[in-house]
Amino acid sequence: MSTSQTPVLSIKDLFIEFETPDGAVKAVNGINLDLFKGEVLGIVGESGSGKSQSWMATLGLLAENATTSGEVTFDGENLLTLPPKALNPIRGNRIAMVFQDPMTSLNPYLTIETQMVEALRIHNKRMSKPDARKRCVEMLDRVAIPAADKRLKQFPHELSGGMRQRVMIALALLNDPEVLIADEPTTALDVTIQAEILDILLDLQRERGMAVVFITHDLGVVAEICSRVCVMYAGRLAEIGPVQDVFTDARHPYTLSLLKATPRAAQSQAAQSDDALYAIPGAPPNMRMPPPGCPFEPRCACADAHCREQVPALEPLQGSETRLKACFREGSSAALLEALVHER
Amino acid sequence: MSYALQRFGQMLVIVIIALLAVFSTQRLAPGGPFDGERPPPPKILENLRAYYDMDLSMPAQFYTYLFGMAGREIGDNGKPGKAHWFVVPSNAEITTLGGTNDRSTAEGVFVRQFCPWDQWLGQVIPGAREQLREQGTVFRKCGVVRGDFGLSMARRSIYVNDYVRDGLPATLKYAIPSLLFALLLGVPMGFYAAYRQNKPADFFMITIGMFGTVVPNLVMAPLLIFLFAVQLDSVFHWLFVETLEWVELGRRQRTLNWIPSGKTGGVMHYVLPTLVLGTGLLGRIVRLSRAGALEALRSNYVRTARAKGLPAHVILLRHVFKPAILPVLTYMGPVTAFILTGSLVIERAFSLPGLGRQFIAAATDRDYTLLMGTTVILLLAIILLNFIVDLLYTWLDPRIRRGGGRS
Ligand SMILES: Nc1ncnc2c1ncn2[C@@H]1O[C@H](COP(=O)(O)OP(=O)(O)OP(=O)(O)O)[C@@H](O)[C@H]1O
Ligand SMILES: [Mg+2]
């Protein structure tokens, strides 16, 4: 992926804050990221690191108590400030999202047909109901739902979790979006179905050349399907780069710890070096009072006084256009690993 | 099917328990329907007590109240209030107009001319029952199970059934409009408030709703009479009669009386009662529909709907309406009780006929039969409404509809 290409969607200085009775939660703290046409971008990070919220913000789907700042540019417009009237033709049409929780993301009171047909017809005003229905059946077939015709008539509670997740994917793909944001689309499923759905998703992605944002905890899946990966920690980006590079030569201590904690990422040297399952010591910072320095500093084996005082900026690695990291510490992955192992 | 049967069984048990409770408490309480300031002579009292089965033991009384008694079937010549016959068992003691005691020799018909009840005007005519049948006289069935609530005890010339027949429609005439008023106004208000949560519109809706609910009907009625029937009337009078001279008053008319403060008549007579009762219901309905809509609006499926690019009104109508209306539906049971207590005040304040008025009268007069009758009607109304709510529920919620039982 060359950076000379213009991005389909670009996020600049995105901040998200949630107003709560116990104070403001600073969920996302300055994200800069470009999404290119036809790429599959993996987003990884611990639970609560702001993966879902930062992408929901692009579609204006944050909770009422959220305030955002920054820019999300899509087709020359800032999605964050677009009024609903102008945003609606984009949502579900040019940018679609598959949500994390398939069990509750479909309306239990409406049939699958109603929920799919409305998504089509709101963006294609002249499409007739039978045509819309036909398209829905095609799409359900495409995500390998058997007896699609019958399924359309059913209510969500009559479908299994895997079926609902497929319906969610079919729903998102109905209008041939340019960007698909898939938020842990397979987490709720067992491994065989997971692989099947990933295959379907990748097929469709290649067929249509859409950009896919794939949010997940599963580094193995990222290694398999993503071209680039972006590691998030405490509402910030820790590291971005092509998957192979990042996984074989991680430059941020957090990425390294994450790889080390994941036995399935077989290619990573971190996992090879230590057979015992590794857990990152400590817990993510309280997002109501983030530390003044690097957010990973309290858990980092390589940190020094400098890390405690100043937040490292996301900067390109020396001699690389495609890789960026937010860490003061220079040096190869091996050197970082040394420090990590030493600490244990 | 078995579910319906089960529900029916439940309803039956509830009705019987409620009947038993009202029946026994009113009879166990000191005093009775016939001991007013001037109690009737002992002989008449005895007749009265016998007629109402009060000479029987309590369990027997309850039995005859429910199922009637073979010998006490009441006949009706079809013209209420004129003459009534009832079959007496053979060898029953009857006091006639002359104050003499008579004894029926065979099963016959005791003819009683209305009123006055207290004089047992009539005689036993053996074989008259068959004769009357041939003439086409319909014998009124007796006992609650056969739909007869018996004769009122305070006004002994009127059947409780007739009270109900007249009173229930009179009550429904303002109860149904006020319910519709509260629903048609309250639900959109609640939805809009939820949509604009914590904005001025939200607080405005809640405040209006709560005002109606917090101010008791007893206060709201005179307040609205003053505002509409008095003040607005004089404004109308000044505007249309004196200034614009569009309307001319009739010869004996002193006010326009467009929004009358009471009595029955045209549609306008029901405006104020409907407003008083309707505003009383409004607050609850606003709050319930607001809470329901808020929950739905925060749900993941509404987030999905927004992600589809649906405009707000489609989301509200298609995705939020059904789940948000469910809490309002559940409230429809208690609504019946609210309307009853409200009707006690409304019928007084606006001089309207209706069940509420009879309910009060029955309670103060110790009119056992009337009180039982109105209670049963009310119970049936509550049960019926709950049943309808259940049906609507299963219709609205597919998880109940297809799943069979409810989980
Ligand atoms: N409405 C809200 N009010 C307050 N805090 C919120 C709200 N929504 C999200 N947050 C907080 O924002 C942070 C980021 O949440 P987000 O859903 O993006 O996490 P995530 O990285 O997707 O986690 P997971 O992997 O568990 O899905 C979390 O700490 C969460 O508690
Ligand atoms: Mg998430």
Side-chain angles (χ1 to χ4, degrees), chain A residues 18 20 27 46-53 63 65 100 184 217:
Chain A
F18 292 100
T20 69
E46 266 166 299
S47 195
S49 54
K51 305 184 296 292
S52 302
Q53 300 304 322
N65 60 342
Q100 200 167 351
E184 309 196 22
H217 289 276

